[in-house]
Amino acid sequence: MFKNIVVLTGAGISAESGIPVFRSETGLWEQERVEDVATYEGYARNPAKVHEFYNKMRRSLKERKPNPAHLALSRLEQEWQQGEVTVVTQNIDDLHEKAGSNNIIHMHGELRSAWCEHCDEHYPWEDDTSAATVCPKCNVKGKVRPDIVWFGEMPYQMGRISEKLNACDLFLSVGTSGVVYPAAGFCQIARAAGALCVEFNLEHSAGFSSFNYGLYGKASQTLTEFVDHLLKTGEALDKV
Ligand code: APR
């Protein structure tokens, strides 16, 4: 019988909502160099370019709606009686929130948040950021950056994530290629803690051999079926 559930999500869960993934033929990292827009060095070299990259994404969130995979996770959190459901997302979009999930850890930051490097405050942010942005907390100009964890930076809430992984019986990984650490190692931690580990993807991820099994196809379908079965029976859907 399962009690606590951790769900790791990646760009693939939002793909069916029209947000491009990072690694595919048409993925974001084919259009922009990671070093330019997702490292502190790139930001220091060309802040305007980096602000604009995230401004564009933040603006586009208004048009994005959660898909059945996000909705399935929200339903799971609301209806699961046996224990806790935690969503750990690598995504910086707001689709888990829009779907109604509450117990969410944004380990790679959020588009709808900003961070002042001067006063070290993180706060909700809906507008564009630029080198002219003044921090509403300390009034210093030019130190407000997108609240995104870039390559080379420490993901958020690792202590809390580690606690959740070590206390879960069921670990689901949805729409992530499994190449970016530390998230790519979460399955091994959960597995060592005794959890059943299932991946949901279009194809085998880089870390698929660490999972007990995978369900392959669009997450809107596979995850919805899995959650329906789990809520009805308390059991994991068998590998098909
Ligand atoms: N259903 C299920 N899986 C899907 C779907 C779908 N509809 N569409 C795509 N996928 C899968 C792809 O097969 C791929 O394995 O989603 C995965 C997306 O992989 P990436 O683009 O690498 O995204 P992610 O794993 O979230 O990237 C991790 O890398 O660039 C950084 O910080 C960024 O958080 C991001 C991290």
Side-chain angles (χ1 to χ4, degrees), residues 21-220:
V21 298
F22 296 99
R23 295 169 190 80
S24 78
E25 278 169 26
T26 53
L28 267 183
W29 296 154
E30 292 299 316
Q31 292 149 44
E32 294 286 352
R33 284 170 12 121
V34 173
E35 308 87 286
D36 289 343
V37 295
T39 63
Y40 195 81
E41 293 72 21
Y43 176 60
R45 260 196 316 272
N46 191 346
K49 181 184 171 81
V50 176
H51 280 297
E52 192 43 34
F53 179 75
Y54 293 99
N55 286 341
K56 216 167 122 191
M57 273 197 229
R58 192 181 303 103
R59 282 182 223 133
S60 76
L61 286 184
K62 294 192 179 74
E63 296 144 36
R64 306 289 172 220
K65 291 193 179 70
N67 68 56
H70 299 101
L71 295 168
L73 293 183
S74 148
R75 197 154 47 84
L76 182 61
E77 180 185 318
Q78 278 146 31
E79 295 179 20
W80 186 249
Q81 306 285 341
Q82 292 90 316
E84 189 187 43
V85 176
T86 307
V87 172
V88 179
T89 187
Q90 298 168 89
N91 298 343
I92 56 177
D93 65 51
D94 59 355
L95 295 182
H96 287 304
E97 284 85 352
K98 279 183 180 156
S101 288
N102 293 304
N103 199 10
I104 310 165
I105 299 176
H106 275 277
M107 64 178 290
H108 289 170
E110 286 175 78
L111 284 165
R112 293 176 60 195
S113 175
W115 171 20
C116 175
E117 290 186 279
H118 181 74
C119 66
D120 202 26
E121 289 279 336
H122 300 247
Y123 33 78
W125 194 266
E126 302 292 341
D127 305 323
D128 288 356
T129 55
S130 77
T133 302
V134 175
C135 173
K137 305 281 180 188
C138 69
N139 288 324
V140 170
K141 183 173 151 184
K143 291 289 180 186
V144 178
R145 59 169 268 186
D147 198 359
I148 308 297
V149 176
W150 289 323
F151 284 93
E153 297 181 327
M154 185 61 83
Y156 294 150
Q157 302 196 51
M158 287 305 298
R160 203 171 143 221
I161 294 171
S162 171
E163 275 169 29
K164 302 291 179 194
L165 290 171
N166 279 297
C168 76
D169 319 285
L170 180 62
F171 174 78
L172 311 177
S173 173
V174 186
T176 177
S177 54
V179 295
V180 176
Y181 280 83
F186 288 175
C187 172
Q188 287 174 354
I189 299 174
R191 193 95 192 255
L196 180 80
C197 298
V198 184
E199 84 163 349
F200 299 77
N201 203 309
L202 297 177
E203 56 194 17
H204 285 176
S205 73
F208 88 98
S209 59
S210 302
F211 288 85
N212 294 89
Y213 63 93
L215 295 172
Y216 298 100
K218 290 184 173 178
S220 58

